[in-house]
Amino acid sequence: MIVIEPFVPGDGAMDIRMLDLQALRIFKAVVDEGSVTRAAMQLHYVQSNVTTRLRQLEADLDVALFHRIGGKLVITPAGRTLNAYAERLLRLAQEARRSVAADGVPRGPLAIGSMETTAAARLPGLLAAFSARHPEVELSLETGPTAHLLKRVLECELDAALAAGPVKHPALDSELVFDEELVLITRRDHVAVRAQHEVADAMILVFRSGCSYRRRLETWLEAGGVVPRRALEFGTFEGIVGCVAAGMGISLMPRVLIEQRGLRDSVGVHPLPARFARVPTMLVWRKDAERNAAREAFFAVMKTAAGALGTPADASTEDRRRTSHPASPPTRQRSTPRVDSRV
């Protein structure tokens, strides 16, 4: 049982007394699944138990959490308010349980996010080494654009993420992992690109909105007075590179990815001015995240691998210092990585 202070949902007061964490788990499962039947299946409960606990919770709070309309459950404003608290309370309870039971052995779920290109170019060896060293950790990887990853970290759906910097948010901490060089890529036989007007008629081939590399390309073009005639969005870097090679348009990609994949014979590679080309890749986590062995182990592997992952020789002294000493951040913790490429 846990005691929390009364709170006010919208215009009316809700008298919260003693809240049973299991009742909150059941309530949240009903919210997430959208029905008592599916929640009961997820929790491995009989349906009548879920219904009874839900009604008991409403009676304890003296408020309706759901409207029952035509056999369907529709969450009420009070229910939405309670759901936000339930997410926080259940997360805190999980963190407390892990902290009390901590024996220093990395284990359990660890959810990491990464940009698509970073995952392809930088992480395969690192994830393999981490999984071999810590087989009890249930590591999962989700890829997406920077804006999406930051949102997932803020929502506590990811323990940490590798995102393009700089990252400035009052609830987030970040640490430089490595410094990336972006290059303009075109069809193989394109003349050397020295100014934006030389690709003024080109379509830009990019990841969806929220991708920092996409914004970097748009900013470079705008600096030369060029407005892209059209943007074509892709879900994978392979799709972008393939279409650039076929002459459909232009894009920005990390130089290391082009070199690792042997793509210089497929596309034209053109350097950009440093202020557009250099972009830091940051490890990002919530400031209020509790320490946990699985997360600490991941950051230890990241720290060891940082130099090999590609901090460039021309990075500043401060950048190299920070790269070799990343901070210890968040929580969660699968021995074989599960890649969820939602981009």
Side-chain angles (χ1 to χ4, degrees), residues 148-172:
H148 169 81
L149 295 173
L150 297 183
K151 181 174 181 290
R152 296 282 284 170
V153 172
L154 286 167
E155 293 173 346
C156 302
E157 296 298 329
L158 292 173
D159 295 310
L162 291 162
V167 174
K168 296 180 180 179
H169 190 285
L172 297 177

Side-chain angles (χ1 to χ4, degrees), residues 277-336:
R278 310 308 300 201
V279 55
T281 298
M282 313 298 292
L283 192 58
V284 184
W285 65 95
R286 284 187 63 100
K287 288 181 177 179
D288 60 359
E290 297 293 326
R291 300 174 73 92
N292 116 313
R295 188 202 62 242
E296 297 297 330
F298 180 82
F299 287 112
V301 170
M302 180 69 75
K303 175 163 50 175
T304 301
L309 283 176
T311 301
D314 61 345
S316 69
T317 302
E318 175 64 10
D319 284 352
R320 290 196 296 272
R321 182 191 67 76
R322 296 184 67 200
T323 301
S324 62
H325 299 283
S328 298
T331 341
R332 260 185 183 129
Q333 322 168 79
R334 224 165 167 143
S335 51
T336 301

